Amino acid sequence: MRRWILPALAGLLTVAGCQPATNTTTAAETAPQKKASCVMTVGWDPWEPYSYEAVDGAVTGLDVDLVRQLGESAGCRLDFRKGNWVALLEELQAGDVDVLMAATPTSDRRDFAHFSEPYRDESFVLFAHNGGVQAYQGLSLGQLLADGKRVGITDGYYYGEDAQALLSNPDYDEQIVPAPVPEANYRHLEEGLVDVVIGDPYVAGAVLRRTGMGTSIKQLRGNVHRGSVTFMFSKNSVSNDQVQAMNAALDRLQSAGHIAGILSRYRGS
C-alpha cells in the first residue's frame, strides 16, 4: 500500500535528509506481552483507523492490534515509536526501527528490508469536493491528469505501479500536490488547492467524520489501486530467522481466525 515516493523524494529511502521522527515512547505505547524472547521497535504514523492515539494516549488501530497479536504469538515484546512515514522509512533502513506496518514490497525497499507474507488487502480511490464530483465521476487518474487536474497525494505513500508511473511523469510535476499527512490532503481539497485526492477509503472515512468535512467531500467510483500489504522488517536489525518466526506466527493467527476477526471488527465500526 502505502507508500510511494515522488522522484524528488526518492532519495530519502536511501540517504539521510528527511525530517526527524518523534522518538518518544510512553508506557501506554508499549504493548503488554508475555515473556519475550526478542524486542522490536515498531514505527507508526497517525493513520486512523489503522494506527492512531486513543484518548488515553495509547497507540491503537487495526494494524496496531494485528502487529500486537503477531508479536505476542512470536514471543516478541513490541515498543512503539511515532513518526512520519518518510522519516520512519529511513530509520528502518538504519536499523533504528525494526518493523513498519502496512507496507508494499518494492524492488527499492528489498535492498534494505525483509517482508512478511501479506496480511490484509488495501485499496486507494479518488475523492473530490462536491462541486467536482459530477464532473470527475468515472474518469481515471490518467484522464484527470491529462486534463490538467491537480492531484493531492501523501508524501511517502505507494499508490500502485500504474499510479506510480503517472505520478512520476515529469509532464505532471506541477499538478501533483504532496501533503505530509492524509488530513492535509482533504484540507487542500476544501480550500481548492487540488481537484482530487488519492486516499484510502477507511482513512478518509475516519478523517472526514472527525473533521466534519464529510458533507463536502465525496468518494468517486472506481479504484486507483488494489493490492495487499505486509509487515516490513529492517535488514540491519532483524534476521531472516526472526522474519520466519513472524511469518509462522502470522500463519497461526490467520488459521485461528484472529486476523479475520480484527478486520471484521474495524470494518464493521
Side-chain angles (χ1 to χ4, degrees):
M1 143 175 134
R2 282 180 333 177
R3 313 276 232 203
W4 122 260
I5 282 256
L6 290 175
L9 298 174
L12 293 173
L13 291 179
T14 54
V15 297
C18 60
Q19 53 187 309
T22 302
N23 294 331
T24 56
T25 302
T26 66
E29 289 179 301
T30 303
Q33 301 288 345
K34 299 176 181 178
K35 185 176 179 180
S37 60
C38 71
V39 179
M40 291 189 181
T41 298
V42 181
W44 72 279
D45 60 327
W47 208 49
E48 187 180 359
Y50 298 109
S51 53
Y52 61 98
E53 279 182 316
V55 175
D56 62 1
V59 182
T60 188
L62 190 159
D63 284 332
V64 173
D65 288 356
L66 287 172
V67 79
R68 278 186 169 136
Q69 287 216 11
L70 183 65
E72 183 174 1
S73 181
C76 287
R77 192 189 84 213
L78 304 181
D79 298 329
F80 288 83
R81 178 179 299 183
K82 183 179 179 181
N84 67 68
W85 180 257
V86 174
L88 290 170
L89 276 171
E90 185 184 328
E91 291 193 75
L92 182 118
Q93 183 178 0
D96 296 326
V97 164
D98 303 306
V99 188
L100 291 179
M101 304 171 285
T104 300
T106 67
S107 57
D108 288 342
R109 293 174 181 177
R110 290 189 188 280
D111 290 339
F112 60 86
H114 306 288
F115 294 90
S116 74
E117 296 299 319
Y119 69 89
R120 68 169 173 83
D121 295 329
E122 65 157 12
S123 66
F124 282 103
V125 298
L126 292 170
F127 293 85
H129 196 271
N130 282 343
V133 170
Q134 185 173 356
Y136 306 147
Q137 195 68 266
L139 296 180
S140 68
L141 177 62
Q143 289 172 316
L144 289 165
L145 286 167
D147 195 35
K149 298 299 181 283
R150 299 159 300 170
V151 178
I153 65 167
T154 304
D155 282 338
Y157 282 23
Y158 178 85
Y159 294 112
E161 185 176 351
D162 292 341
Q164 175 178 339
L166 290 167
L167 296 171
S168 62
N169 186 331
D171 292 341
Y172 301 137
D173 281 353
E174 294 185 2
Q175 296 169 238
I176 308 302
V177 182
V181 294
E183 183 171 329
N185 272 319
Y186 302 102
R187 297 286 183 195
H188 290 168
L189 197 53
E190 276 220 323
E191 294 164 5
L193 300 177
V194 297
D195 300 298
V196 295
V197 162
I198 307 176
D200 178 292
Y202 290 102
V203 175
V207 169
L208 297 178
R209 284 192 301 272
R210 175 167 46 80
T211 60
M213 290 189 284
T215 58
S216 59
I217 294 174
K218 303 298 181 186
Q219 179 178 329
L220 302 180
R221 292 191 297 270
N223 291 296
V224 171
H225 169 67
R226 292 188 64 88
S228 298
V229 294
T230 71
F231 296 109
M232 180 162 56
F233 303 92
S234 172
K235 284 186 174 180
N236 261 340
S237 60
V238 181
S239 69
N240 278 312
D241 287 345
Q242 288 174 308
V243 174
Q244 292 308 310
M246 285 295 204
N247 274 327
L250 187 60
D251 184 62
R252 290 194 296 272
L253 293 174
Q254 287 174 329
S255 298
H258 293 308
I259 290 179
I262 291 173
L263 293 174
S264 296
R265 175 159 55 86
Y266 277 90
R267 288 172 182 168
S269 59

